[in-house]
Amino acid sequence: MSPQPSTSEGVAGKTAALFINSKLTPIFIVVSVLLGVAAVYLLPREEEPQIKVPMVDVFVAMPGASAREVEQRVTRPMEMLLWEIPGVEYLYSTSSPGQSLVIVRFKVGEEIENSLVKLNQKLETNFDRIPHGVSRPLIKPRTIDDVPILALTFHSSVYDHFTLRRLAAEVSNEIKRIPQVAETTIIGGTRRQVRVLLDPVTLASRNINAAAIAPMLRQANRQTLSGHLTRDNTDIVMETGSFLTTVDQVGDIVVRVANGKPVYLREIAEIIDGPEEPDNYVLFGHANSEEEAAVTLSIAKQPGSNAISVVDEVMERVDRLKGRLIPHDIAVTVTRDYGATAAEKSNELLLHMFIAVFGVVALIWFFLGFRESIVVLIAIPSTLALTLLVFLLYGYTLNRITLFALIFSIGILVDDAIVMVENIVRHVRMPANKGNPVQAVALRAVAEVGNPTILATLAVVFAIVPMAFVGGLMGPYMRPIPVGASAAMAFSLFIAFAVTPWASVRILKLKNDRENGTGAQDTEKEDWFTRIYRRLMRPLLTVGWVRWTFLGTILALLLGAVSLVAIGWVKVKMLPFDDKSEFQLVLNMPEGSTLEQTARVARELAAVVKEEPEVVDCQ
């Protein structure tokens, strides 16, 4: 018959008495572990946590104006308006000939929708103050999810930049069908363009002004709704005009009537349907090969989606397109894969977390015993599993910060289970408890250290929680640490009161049975670790010079450790260095340098970089 808890047992004893003989306890352990395993698979994996930092690009054009005029007449007045918007933290502006760019950064945590509404309202209500000749602002929001997680480079020695861009556009349309893909961007290549090259001699002979041709082209390339015609109870929509689709249609445009005869555009100009004038060159080459024409397709994911699954689905879609849409003589090289790095880092941190768990269990095995370590091994996975469930319900992702919070918690969440196991073992070994039921002994042991354990747990939680109120950019970045550690400590306290006594009674097999003679009689002697501990602590407590020498040594080691930072041997950094597999070199050429000259210097720089043995390819 199970013992009934008394009112003096407190929260710890009552909780232990409720679960020590309950058949729901093993079910709770299994369910908690299964929920944790499910959370590991359901949690989206990323390299870094998602931080809401609304940033908005505001583009304004002023054709024909110099950079200084744009700065004085457009950029500075617009900055003064934008500073009036609540929530704006920083402004970055760039004034160049004919255009202005202002980057508005709102405070961390501001909602992007509200920020856009306030920004649009401010600009629209003050548009009458914008000087003549300035275009309406083009507003484009930017978030951390706009950073591409995957970059695919299409390169070939057979096809040119124009063909590669058309191919990348087709592949982009296929990839956009994936629900978790947010945005695709094509870098490099030349777009399709119908160019009209006027012949000056023919224009002069026909007495045609070149400036009058552009409005005619715009007028011909237009389709408008002209009205409705109702007939026989049917409403017919009437449209006039059509869009130009072929070179022949462009050439058939009449630009003038001379001597009663129409003058067609094809008579005074050469019409070319092909690539536009190049404004960039993208080249790709392996370490032991020449550069080839290339186009890069970058892919960004939806907020909160799993970077690994997005990359896998995109690569699977691209593999299906090879041989059907992508020719065999066009190579596809992955030049950026943050899904692979996210998987590598998350798997590495998960591995380290399991190593830490088994390291703690091995330590308990060495100092307390094998069966005691099994009890702790049951308590830790249950705690971590419930903490992972909290991350899933809270909307966090599995990244280096959340996993660090779990690894950080392992060292402190085992304290509760260790205290309970050690005290239960100590009580059973006491001669006064011979013949008493094991459950009653375990309940008294839990109740004895229950209040100090609660106090110690709350002290740790209160020491970590203030980190959740850190402001600025680092606040939401580091918030998973106090949330995860506090949740882990709360779960560990509950499991120490509910699961640990249940497991201790059954796994340790501590039976104080008079009939078989097992129990306290064989365990009254101190173990070897306790004897070593007494030998070390006795002189520290009784001999003065030993005590002061020990304290002085600890103080010297502390000062020495702190001095390592001061002298520069230990670098202070918030996060570890990020080991990426690619880097960028920005080349600034003198003003007035042609595109071809810049491309030549870039190729020479690439040739030097490819001599390094670690370089696989360059773009």
Side-chain angles (χ1 to χ4, degrees):
M1 189 172 179
S2 60
Q4 298 297 324
S6 62
T7 56
S8 61
E9 289 176 343
V11 177
K14 292 179 180 179
T15 305
L18 185 64
F19 286 91
I20 197 168
N21 284 325
S22 175
K23 299 185 183 301
L24 295 178
T25 305
I27 298 177
F28 169 78
I29 298 173
V30 174
V31 170
S32 63
V33 173
L34 291 179
L35 289 175
V37 173
V40 171
Y41 284 99
L42 294 177
L43 277 170
R45 298 192 183 188
E46 298 174 315
E47 286 192 72
E48 307 291 345
Q50 297 298 304
I51 307 174
K52 291 184 179 181
V53 186
M55 298 183 68
V56 183
D57 296 343
V58 182
F59 298 91
V60 176
M62 190 177 183
S66 63
R68 182 174 296 276
E69 186 177 5
V70 170
E71 180 186 7
Q72 294 177 352
R73 301 188 61 190
V74 179
T75 305
R76 289 186 177 178
M78 186 163 55
E79 286 180 345
M80 296 177 64
L81 286 176
L82 296 177
W83 274 120
E84 298 176 2
I85 301 176
V88 173
E89 189 172 13
Y90 292 106
L91 290 178
Y92 311 90
S93 62
T94 301
S95 301
S96 57
Q99 61 183 357
S100 171
L101 168 63
V102 177
I103 302 175
V104 185
R105 174 181 155 185
F106 289 84
K107 294 179 180 179
V108 179
E110 292 282 336
E111 293 294 334
I112 183 65
E113 292 80 8
N114 297 335
S115 303
L116 284 174
V117 170
K118 291 185 289 186
L119 181 64
N120 277 283
Q121 185 179 10
K122 175 62 69 172
L123 293 177
E124 288 294 331
T125 54
N126 292 276
F127 189 74
D128 57 335
R129 300 169 57 181
I130 297 180
H132 178 71
V134 178
S135 67
R136 300 188 73 89
L138 174 62
I139 300 173
K140 299 189 68 174
R142 302 290 183 186
T143 63
I144 191 173
D145 291 292
D146 295 330
V147 178
I149 63 170
L150 181 66
L152 303 175
T153 299
F154 302 85
H155 56 97
S156 173
S157 58
V158 179
Y159 298 95
D160 57 4
H161 297 272
F162 175 60
T163 306
L164 289 174
R165 184 177 180 91
R166 297 186 67 179
L167 172 67
E170 294 294 332
V171 176
S172 175
N173 293 333
E174 292 291 330
I175 292 177
K176 285 180 179 178
R177 297 179 181 179
I178 300 175
Q180 294 179 327
V181 171
E183 182 182 8
T184 60
T185 305
I186 300 176
I187 304 171
T190 51
R191 297 178 176 86
R192 181 190 177 191
Q193 188 180 71
V194 177
R195 292 187 293 159
V196 179
L197 306 180
L198 299 175
D199 186 355
V201 177
T202 307
L203 288 175
S205 64
R206 303 294 179 91
N207 195 21
I208 299 175
N209 186 5
I213 296 179
M216 294 181 181
L217 289 173
R218 286 194 294 267
Q219 181 66 30
N221 189 34
R222 179 180 298 176
Q223 182 174 333
T224 58
L225 179 64
S226 300
H228 297 266
L229 176 62
T230 303
R231 182 177 179 180
D232 297 333
N233 292 326
T234 302
D235 188 26
I236 303 174
V237 178
M238 302 181 62
E239 296 179 349
T240 58
S242 61
F243 294 106
L244 302 174
T245 57
T246 64
V247 173
D248 294 335
Q249 292 178 356
V250 178
D252 291 338
I253 297 175
V254 178
V255 295
R256 190 184 178 191
V257 178
N259 300 325
K261 296 182 179 180
V263 178
Y264 296 99
L265 183 62
R266 61 174 177 269
E267 299 176 0
I268 62 173
E270 179 185 2
I271 305 173
I272 302 174
D273 183 3
E276 62 181 354
E277 289 289 335
D279 59 358
N280 65 77
Y281 291 115
V282 176
L283 303 173
F284 178 87
H286 292 284
N288 299 319
S289 63
E290 294 294 329
E291 287 85 2
E292 300 173 345
V295 171
T296 296
L297 176 64
S298 62
I299 298 99
K301 68 180 184 64
Q302 293 282 358
S305 57
N306 193 329
I308 301 174
S309 62
V310 173
V311 171
D312 292 341
E313 194 168 354
V314 170
M315 294 306 301
E316 182 182 356
R317 183 70 60 91
V318 172
D319 290 337
R320 291 202 303 264
L321 295 176
K322 291 181 179 179
R324 181 168 60 91
L325 179 62
I326 304 174
H328 295 289
D329 46 5
I330 293 182
V332 182
T333 302
V334 179
T335 50
R336 170 181 288 186
D337 189 354
Y338 284 177
T341 55
E344 178 184 355
K345 292 178 181 179
S346 60
N347 291 336
E348 182 180 3
L349 286 172
L350 285 173
L351 176 62
H352 290 173
M353 186 176 69
F354 288 120
I355 292 175
V357 169
F358 286 102
V360 171
V361 172
L363 190 66
I364 302 301
W365 185 0
F366 182 74
F367 287 106
L368 287 182
F370 173 73
R371 293 181 178 177
E372 289 82 353
S373 65
I374 297 299
V375 177
V376 177
L377 184 61
I378 293 175
I380 296 179
S382 301
T383 305
L384 294 178
L386 293 175
T387 307
L388 287 170
L389 182 63
V390 170
F391 284 152
L392 178 64
L393 298 178
Y394 211 78
Y396 286 140
T397 59
L398 203 62
N399 52 70
R400 65 165 71 186
I401 299 300
T402 53
L403 289 174
F404 170 76
L406 293 176
I407 297 175
F408 168 76
S409 303
I410 291 175
I412 54 179
L413 63 86
V414 296
D415 289 347
D416 297 341
I418 293 174
V419 169
M420 294 301 164
V421 172
E422 194 277 333
N423 203 46
I424 291 173
V425 174
R426 186 179 67 86
H427 270 263
V428 173
R429 289 176 177 177
M430 295 173 59
N433 289 326
K434 286 183 179 181
N436 294 332
V438 179
Q439 289 87 349
V441 176
L443 290 177
R444 283 197 299 270
V446 172
E448 183 180 52
V449 295
N451 291 337
T453 305
I454 294 175
L455 182 61
T457 303
L458 293 178
V460 175
V461 171
F462 288 153
I464 299 175
V465 165
M467 191 186 300
F469 299 96
V470 175
L473 188 62
M474 293 308 299
Y477 194 84
M478 304 303 294
R479 195 158 295 148
I481 295 179
V483 172
S486 300
M489 290 300 298
F491 287 131
S492 69
L493 184 65
F494 173 76
I495 289 176
F497 293 161
V499 176
T500 303
W502 176 89
S504 298
V505 170
R506 286 156 179 81
I507 296 178
L508 299 181
K509 296 181 179 179
L510 300 175
K511 297 181 180 180
N512 192 12
D513 194 343
R514 294 182 179 179
E515 294 181 358
N516 54 28
T518 60
Q521 194 172 14
D522 295 330
T523 56
E524 291 180 4
K525 296 181 180 179
E526 294 180 346
D527 54 46
W528 64 272
F529 181 72
T530 305
R531 293 194 298 269
I532 294 176
Y533 178 76
R534 288 185 181 277
R535 292 179 181 178
L536 291 176
M537 290 302 299
R538 185 175 290 108
L540 291 176
L541 296 175
T542 58
V543 183
W545 68 269
V546 175
R547 181 169 57 252
W548 289 109
T549 302
F550 176 77
L551 293 177
T553 303
I554 295 298
L555 181 60
L557 292 174
L558 175 62
L559 295 177
V562 174
S563 65
L564 295 178
V565 178
I567 62 180
W569 289 4
V570 174
K571 303 295 182 181
V572 178
K573 194 173 182 293
M574 190 66 185
L575 294 172
F577 290 102
D578 203 359
D579 187 14
K580 294 293 185 183
S581 60
E582 77 272 357
F583 65 94
Q584 294 181 348
L585 295 176
V586 180
L587 179 63
N588 292 320
M589 296 291 290
E591 185 176 356
S593 300
T594 62
L595 176 62
E596 288 71 20
Q597 173 69 6
T598 305
R600 183 186 65 81
V601 177
R603 295 187 69 175
E604 293 178 356
L605 183 62
V608 175
V609 171
K610 288 195 296 185
E611 294 178 358
E612 297 296 327
E614 295 83 6
V615 174
V616 177
D617 51 55
C618 63
Q619 180 175 339

